[in-house]
Amino acid sequence: MNLHGKYGLVLGASRPLGRAVARRLAAAGMRLCLPWFDWPESAQDMAAEFSGHLILQADLREPESVRGLVRRMEAAFGRLHVLVNNIERGGMPVVHGAYSRPVNSGQWQLELETTLHAKWLVFEHCLPLLRRADQAAVVNISSVAALVGRSGPAGLLFSDGYAAASRGVSSFTETWARLGAPSIRVNELMLGLFDTRHGPGTRGWSLLTEAERAALLAQTLLGRTGRPEEAAEAVLFLLQADFMTGAALRLDGGFVLGGQPVPEMPDGVV
């Protein structure tokens, strides 16, 4: 799909990884809708950078707020070619501790409502606008927490609720690919440890010991965390891969494969 002159909705662009995606798509010639809810200072920076785009505040966990967002896009765009479904909230065990702590009384529900239910709400209400486009594409952003859960070195970063919600995103991806075909393609980008997202630049990363950080990097075959710009390039690839739908692309530097060494070939007995 040629993105020049097309309309897109990018969630989470007030934060660094979503901002990198929005920046890449704007450079490709798209006009974007960039909603925000909290992080007001980041939202101000986003609005200043994307002054020619549609910026508005919306709580994407609330159906009426999502309906209002879609009405604004319909009035401004008329149709929608791209949805980058990048919304999540995951409490890090190293930061929050156990769900049983009184301070975490609403944490589980917050993680599921934001990481899973909000994605469903946005897609459900955007579907009529996506169908108005001759060709449209959706990218669901998820996490390798769906595969590893709260285990191994990542157990300090991935909470149970966030991991469960991330796994649910794959079910959405496959169902929506069937629902949208042939004009709407739906794919998933499953991220590992990225700067500003479970990596350097987050509160959780700063609380880890040097040994804990080293264990996480040792688990990653490429030995480093990802950069937001690398995630943006992967989103661009999925939007332009016209024969790909219902697929999950894992961009984790080999995190899921790490920790499983390949043994020397035995001599054998025959």
Side-chain angles (χ1 to χ4, degrees):
M1 178 166 59
N2 182 0
L3 300 179
H4 186 78
K6 301 295 196 305
Y7 299 110
L9 169 62
V10 178
L11 309 186
S14 64
R15 307 302 296 150
L17 193 142
R19 182 80 58 87
V21 172
R23 194 174 288 135
R24 187 67 185 85
L25 299 189
M30 295 194 69
R31 184 160 183 234
L32 304 173
C33 176
L34 306 174
W36 65 278
F37 178 60
D38 45 16
W39 306 97
E41 292 182 1
S42 296
Q44 289 177 1
D45 292 341
M46 177 184 71
E49 179 176 353
F50 295 91
S51 58
H53 301 267
L54 181 62
I55 313 291
L56 50 88
Q57 187 175 15
D59 184 349
L60 302 178
R61 300 167 300 173
E62 296 295 332
E64 187 52 45
S65 185
V66 175
R67 280 192 285 268
L69 167 70
V70 173
R71 284 195 294 267
R72 290 284 301 275
M73 285 195 300
E74 182 177 21
F77 301 160
R79 60 197 181 280
L80 192 64
H81 301 91
V82 164
L83 165 59
V84 180
N85 218 342
N86 175 43
I87 179 173
E88 64 170 26
R89 185 64 60 89
M92 295 183 182
V94 69
V95 175
H96 293 86
Y99 288 112
S100 58
R101 298 180 65 215
V103 71
N104 292 331
S105 60
Q107 184 65 29
W108 176 280
Q109 193 63 27
L110 177 64
E111 290 170 9
L112 266 70
E113 283 185 356
T114 309
T115 308
L116 193 62
H117 187 225
K119 283 187 176 73
W120 178 85
L121 276 175
V122 171
F123 177 82
E124 186 77 5
H125 287 89
C126 285
L127 187 56
L129 288 184
L130 292 165
R131 283 179 168 154
R132 289 184 191 177
D134 293 335
Q135 187 181 21
V138 177
V139 177
N140 291 324
I141 306 292
S142 69
S143 167
V144 296
L147 303 178
V148 302
R150 189 172 55 84
S151 64
L156 297 172
L157 300 180
F158 297 152
S159 62
D160 289 322
Y162 175 70
S166 295
R167 179 162 289 209
V169 174
S170 293
S171 174
F172 286 166
T173 299
E174 294 173 2
T175 299
W176 297 347
R178 296 182 178 105
L179 181 65
S183 64
I184 304 170
R185 295 182 301 103
V186 183
N187 291 293
E188 180 177 346
L189 182 62
M190 187 176 286
L191 299 177
L193 305 181
F194 271 74
D195 299 345
T196 72
R197 189 184 188 273
H198 298 118
T202 64
R203 184 181 179 189
W205 189 266
S206 69
L207 292 172
L208 298 174
T209 67
E210 288 297 326
E212 289 165 342
R213 293 177 198 159
L216 286 161
L217 295 179
Q219 175 79 20
T220 307
L221 294 181
L222 298 185
R224 66 173 177 87
T225 52
R227 297 185 295 271
E229 293 76 18
E230 292 173 310
E233 289 299 323
V235 169
L236 185 67
F237 165 75
L238 290 173
L239 293 177
Q240 296 179 327
D242 289 341
F243 197 58
M244 179 181 284
T245 194
L249 176 64
R250 198 171 71 235
L251 190 70
D252 68 343
F255 186 88
V256 171
L257 297 181
Q260 298 295 327
V262 180
E264 293 292 331
M265 183 66 70
D267 293 334
V269 296
V270 296

